[in-house]
């Protein structure tokens, strides 16, 4: 009986523990709604005391702790510049610090000097009119861990679906809520001096990598065509060159072909005309020769017949008249036949 009671007590304690843990997670914001929207940001232009860091975002907790220990009543802020999916986590750059003042207010000089004493720097973030924003409850220390896991995937999908140009991501941790904002304008104004130097260094490295493929005169070592602009990629240069070459060829070659064709057609026409004329003249000459031969043959026949008639003419007046009549009739019949 005592063993059964002991087992029941253990079960009740286990259930109470699970309920407590579940309630604590729910209170920390495990199932809180994350509503993403676009509108005015939660803060105006602010002056912050910050430290620039490079490394995994998971290691930013120590910087937050240091900042909060100097000014425990101030809101903490973090500016995260890189996307861990596109840049190695050990090379991600971010800023962590505290908000010294907001709007037209001026920072406390003593507090500012205290931050500067511990290696913090002072920088002013601009005010923007629109940003992608959301909030997450900040009720327990666990909320700072649950917040990024709940918020960042929603922010990324919201920005990608609407194809927005939004960066960097900013966290403002208050006493009871954490505000997340991604500005839609003046993004580079949120870059601290160290970040600007990093960007310049990256640009110089990219330019040097591109210059390695070119010689001193600016011509591509793998191409016979020199580059027109140093900032244009090689493939776009080749594409533009090919397009211009194709256009020039398309505009010149057909004209040449037409001219050559026209020049070829002219002598062909002339030769055809000459051959036709020669053929026509030859045929006409042949017809004339045939007509002359026929006429000569006709005349020879007439002469032969007249001679025969003269030999056959009878003596006397009656015979003479008959012969004359017969000759006249024959001539008329021959004339009709020739016609």
């Amino acid at each position: 009986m005592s063993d059964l009671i002991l087992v029941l007590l253990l079960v009740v304690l286990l259930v109470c523990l699970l309920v407590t843990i579940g309630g604590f997670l729910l209170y920390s914001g495990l199932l809180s709604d994350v509503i993403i929207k676009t509108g005015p940001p939660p803060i105006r232009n602010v002056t912050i005391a910050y430290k620039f860091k490079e490394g995994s975002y998971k290691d930013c907790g120590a910087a937050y702790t240091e900042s909060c220990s100097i000014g425990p009543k101030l809101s903490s802020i973090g500016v995260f510049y890189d996307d861990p999916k596109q840049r190695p986590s050990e090379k991600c750059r971010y800023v962590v610090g505290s908000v010294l003042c907001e709007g037209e207010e001026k920072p406390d000089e003593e507090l500012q000097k205290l931050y500067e004493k511990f290696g913090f720097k002072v920088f002013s973030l601009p005010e923007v009119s629109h940003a992608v924003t959301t909030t997450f409850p900040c009720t327990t220390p666990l909320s700072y861990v649950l917040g990024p896991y709940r918020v960042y995937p929603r922010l990324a999908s919201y920005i990608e679906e609407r194809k927005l140009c939004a960066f960097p991501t900013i966290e403002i941790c208050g006493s009871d809520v954490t505000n997340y904002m991604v500005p839609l304008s003046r993004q580079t104004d949120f870059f601290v001096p160290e970040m600007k130097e990093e960007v310049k260094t990256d640009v110089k490295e990219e330019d040097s990598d591109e210059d390695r493929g070119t010689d001193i005169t600016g011509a591509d070592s793998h191409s016979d065509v020199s580059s027109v602009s140093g900032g244009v990629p090689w493939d776009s240069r080749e594409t533009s060159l090919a397009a211009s070459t194709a256009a020039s060829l398309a505009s010149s070659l057909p004209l040449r072909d037409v001219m050559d064709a026209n020049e070829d057609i002219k002598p062909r026409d002339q030769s055809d005309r000459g051959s036709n004329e020669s053929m026509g003249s030859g045929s006409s000459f042949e017809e004339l020769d045939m007509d002359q031969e026929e006429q000569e043959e006709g005349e020879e026949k007439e002469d032969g017949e007249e001679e025969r008639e003269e030999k056959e003419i009878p003596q006397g007046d009656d015979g003479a008249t008959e012969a004359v009549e017969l000759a006249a009739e024959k001539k008329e019949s021959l004339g009709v036949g020739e016609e």
Side-chain angles (χ1 to χ4, degrees), residues 101-301:
C101 63
E102 182 178 357
E104 300 297 332
E105 299 178 359
K106 292 183 179 181
D108 188 354
E109 294 182 358
E110 294 182 359
L111 191 59
Q112 180 177 341
K113 290 180 180 179
L114 183 60
Y115 274 99
E116 292 175 349
K117 180 181 177 180
F118 285 95
F120 285 79
K121 297 180 181 180
V122 179
F123 185 74
S124 296
L125 300 179
E127 179 182 3
V128 294
S129 58
H130 289 82
V132 181
T133 62
T134 188
T135 59
F136 193 81
C138 183
T139 53
T140 66
L142 186 61
S143 300
Y144 298 105
V145 179
L146 294 175
Y149 287 102
R150 293 293 312 284
V151 171
Y152 284 126
R154 302 281 185 88
L155 276 176
S157 61
Y158 182 91
I159 293 171
E160 289 178 1
E161 289 174 359
R162 290 159 179 79
K163 297 180 180 180
L164 300 175
C165 179
F167 68 95
T169 305
I170 302 172
E171 294 182 8
I172 304 98
C173 303
S175 58
D176 57 350
V177 67
T178 301
N179 291 286
Y180 296 85
M181 62 172 283
V182 189
L184 294 172
S185 61
R186 304 182 64 181
Q187 288 96 339
T188 56
D189 291 340
F190 289 86
F191 287 7
V192 296
E194 294 87 346
M195 183 60 188
K196 292 180 180 179
E197 292 295 330
E198 291 277 338
V199 173
K200 290 180 181 180
T201 303
D202 293 342
V203 172
K204 289 180 181 179
E205 290 178 355
E206 291 177 359
D207 293 340
S208 63
D209 292 339
E210 291 180 357
D211 293 339
R212 289 174 186 172
T214 60
D215 55 14
I216 298 174
T217 59
D220 189 357
S221 59
H222 301 287
S223 175
D224 295 333
V225 181
S226 61
S227 61
V228 178
S229 174
V232 181
W234 295 116
D235 53 353
S236 62
R237 275 184 241 157
E238 293 173 357
T239 304
S240 62
L241 178 61
S244 61
T245 306
S248 62
L249 291 175
S251 61
S252 60
L253 286 178
L255 291 176
R256 294 178 195 168
D257 295 339
V258 171
M259 295 297 292
D260 295 339
N262 290 334
E263 291 177 356
D264 293 339
I265 289 170
K266 288 181 180 179
R268 289 176 186 173
D269 292 341
Q270 292 177 356
S271 61
D272 293 340
R273 290 175 184 174
S275 61
N276 291 333
E277 290 176 357
S278 62
M279 291 174 65
S281 60
S283 61
S284 61
F285 286 133
E286 291 176 357
E287 290 176 357
L288 290 173
D289 294 338
M290 292 175 67
D291 293 339
Q292 289 178 358
E293 291 177 357
E294 289 178 356
Q295 290 178 359
E296 291 176 355
E297 291 177 356
E299 290 176 356
E300 290 178 356
K301 289 180 181 180

